[in-house]
Amino acid sequence: MTDEEIRKAISAFGTDRVLFGTDYPLGDSKKEIEMLKKVLDDEASLKKVLYENAVRILNENGRMAIVLSNSIASIDTHKEARKWLCENMRI
């Protein structure tokens, strides 16, 4: 998505109804996250789109399991996701 497409989606639906997703390993997640950081200029909105909305949706229906790849478990580019998981999930 482009910056403008992200802005339109957030304008239409609000940050409470937008989720970040990837086609990893086909896409460039780091580039996409940097684009989100540019579009969402406050930390609270960024956290909603990157993590909190998914947790809220999944919690409404029960359990959630995450299988961490080696990249999320060990590569520095995923340190924010790793930190959030450790703080908010029972691992």
Side-chain angles (χ1 to χ4, degrees), residues 41-89:
D41 55 2
D42 66 288
E43 188 73 18
S45 294
L46 187 63
K47 285 182 177 180
K48 279 184 186 180
V49 171
L50 290 176
Y51 317 113
E52 294 171 0
N53 290 339
V55 170
R56 178 179 45 82
I57 290 167
L58 292 169
N59 278 338
E60 289 173 1
N61 294 317
R63 298 179 183 186
M64 177 175 74
I66 298 174
V67 177
L68 297 178
S69 68
N70 285 337
S71 63
I72 290 177
S74 61
I75 296 176
D76 280 345
T77 55
H78 300 296
K79 66 183 174 185
E80 289 298 317
R82 196 168 47 249
K83 178 184 173 193
W84 187 90
L85 287 167
C86 289
E87 291 172 354
N88 294 281
M89 298 290 165

Side-chain angles (χ1 to χ4, degrees), residues 2-73:
T2 66
D3 293 10
E4 187 59 28
E5 289 170 327
I6 294 170
R7 283 187 185 90
K8 284 181 181 178
I10 290 171
S11 177
F13 302 108
T15 56
D16 288 332
R17 297 177 57 113
V18 174
L19 297 172
F20 175 75
T22 70
D23 284 333
Y24 181 82
L26 303 176
D28 184 352
S29 299
K30 185 174 181 180
K31 178 182 169 187
E32 293 161 357
I33 290 172
E34 290 305 317
M35 189 183 322
L36 272 176
K37 287 179 179 179
K38 235 172 41 175
V39 172
L40 299 170
D41 55 2
D42 66 288
E43 188 73 18
S45 294
L46 187 63
K47 285 182 177 180
K48 279 184 186 180
V49 171
L50 290 176
Y51 317 113
E52 294 171 0
N53 290 339
V55 170
R56 178 179 45 82
I57 290 167
L58 292 169
N59 278 338
E60 289 173 1
N61 294 317
R63 298 179 183 186
M64 177 175 74
I66 298 174
V67 177
L68 297 178
S69 68
N70 285 337
S71 63
I72 290 177

